[in-house]
Amino acid sequence: MLAATYRRYGPPDVLKIEEVARPTLKADEVLVRVCASSVTSGDVRMRAFTGAGIFWLPMRLLFGVLRPRSPVAGMEFAGTIAEVGRSVTAFRVGDAVFGMRIGGANAELLAARESVAIAAKPDGLTFEQAAVVPFGALSALEFLRDSVRIKPGQKILIHGASGAVGVFAVQLAKHFGAHVTSVCSAANAELVTSLGADQVIDYSKNDFTQGPIVYDAILDTVGGTSFSRAKRVLTPYGRHVFVVQTLTQLLQALWTSMRRGKRVIVGFSGGESKDDLLLIKGLIETGRIRPVIDRTYKLREIVDAHRFVDTGRKRGGVAVSISDAP
Ligand SMILES: NC(=O)c1ccc[n+]([C@@H]2O[C@H](COP(=O)([O-])OP(=O)(O)OC[C@H]3O[C@@H](n4cnc5c(N)ncnc54)[C@H](OP(=O)(O)O)[C@@H]3O)[C@@H](O)[C@H]2O)c1
């Protein structure tokens, strides 16, 4: 089968399209014929191995010390079931599915355990649209529910509202009944308003830490905010959640966890929950949330897709078309 692979860490041109062996199927796995995949900010980080900061060593131990342990790139997928392992009960050959697993998705075939984040493709979405949902939506859901502990009526500020995590964070925060202020560039103001943001702050013109509004939580999805500046606009028990962390924020998280008052929270997302993916599917099918695709590339254009995601300027997700639905 054809796959986008990287056999060393580095710039986008470490990626190659090559023939690799088909995945072998275990009893509890399904084989997915991938129609569409994506390139996420997580994929480019894993390829370049930049920005891991203090997590560099643990991440390298996890993904391969000298070179990537698993060479096939990609984590989001949408396609049809081509084969099922002998103990699989939830899926049948021909089912249209979408899901996420770390590595292996930028390929014509992918094996995934039926128990992880894989579910029937939401009705009404193309394979490309479905392929840009899991990373951003599962992360945003975990950050809002588990780190922010969002409640109806709260005032939430989402910094980086136009990225893959941000576009779902805005929509999910609205779904949970919050009042949402989005921070993005002027070019993306219309997009985030269409997703439901109550208020938009253009970061090139206004500094939200100097504004009049006080927030129950700040969710920083792209980095660049600081607790020492932002605590001025947090309620007495407000939470400042960072999903891209520095050592300072880890220490602040530790320090503020030992005291009453405003908290720094370091957000991590596993993105593996089938129940969460089913929740997201339901919200899409009832029109509460929708995917945003910036661009779609072909698999053979994977280097260009990575170059674009590397700019840090994409709106929502970047899809990769792999094969037509059978
Ligand atoms: N901790 C975890 O478990 C976890 C899970 C998922 C993701 N993440 C991390 O979360 C980060 C965001 O992921 P993503 O996929 O959403 O990124 P992304 O899609 O690449 O974000 C791109 C967006 O960020 C906006 N942006 C860039 N600089 C900005 C700034 N200074 N202020 C406001 N917006 C800005 C850009 O809009 P403009 O062009 O308008 O500026 C663009 O729309 C990544 O670093 C990723 O690795 C962490």
Side-chain angles (χ1 to χ4, degrees), residues 259-280:
R259 317 174 65 214
R260 288 168 66 80
K262 305 178 191 196
R263 292 272 305 267
V264 169
I265 308 283
V266 167
F268 287 102
S269 153
E272 287 196 332
S273 162
K274 186 190 277 293
D275 288 344
D276 284 355
L277 193 65
L278 287 168
L279 175 67
I280 294 296

Side-chain angles (χ1 to χ4, degrees), residues 41 45 159 162-165 185 188 203 221 243 267 269 312-314:
S41 57
R45 275 177 177 242
H159 177 80
S162 52
V165 176
S185 64
N188 290 323
Y203 63 75
T221 73
V243 311
S269 153
R313 302 261 84 92
K314 72 178 166 66

Side-chain angles (χ1 to χ4, degrees), residues 98-247:
F98 77 134
M100 174 162 145
R101 53 154 284 179
I102 307 287
N106 292 165
E108 289 177 313
L109 293 165
L110 160 139
R113 279 190 295 132
E114 73 164 334
S115 58
V116 297
I118 174 168
K121 181 172 77 69
D123 290 340
L125 291 195
T126 64
F127 286 100
E128 279 76 13
Q129 287 172 321
V132 300
V133 169
F135 175 82
L138 292 174
S139 307
L141 176 63
E142 286 185 59
F143 297 145
L144 288 171
R145 182 189 57 203
D146 307 334
S147 303
V148 167
R149 299 198 183 155
I150 191 164
K151 293 184 191 62
Q154 284 186 329
K155 282 197 162 66
I156 310 281
L157 179 133
I158 295 167
H159 177 80
S162 52
V165 176
V167 294
F168 283 108
V170 171
Q171 298 179 86
L172 287 169
K174 284 306 296 175
H175 167 68
F176 289 126
H179 177 280
V180 177
T181 300
S182 295
V183 179
C184 64
S185 64
N188 290 323
E190 201 176 312
L191 169 70
V192 299
T193 304
S194 77
L195 299 174
D198 297 289
Q199 200 157 14
V200 180
I201 297 177
D202 173 355
Y203 63 75
S204 67
K205 290 208 180 80
N206 295 304
D207 177 355
F208 75 86
T209 65
Q210 302 307 309
I213 306 178
V214 174
Y215 303 97
D216 296 289
I218 295 168
L219 173 59
D220 180 351
T221 73
V222 288
T225 64
S226 106
F227 178 61
S228 53
R229 287 173 62 80
K231 63 185 174 195
R232 197 192 143 262
V233 290
L234 274 176
T235 54
Y237 289 92
R239 294 177 157 234
H240 194 159
V241 177
F242 293 90
V243 311
V244 186
Q245 313 86 4
T246 63
L247 181 59

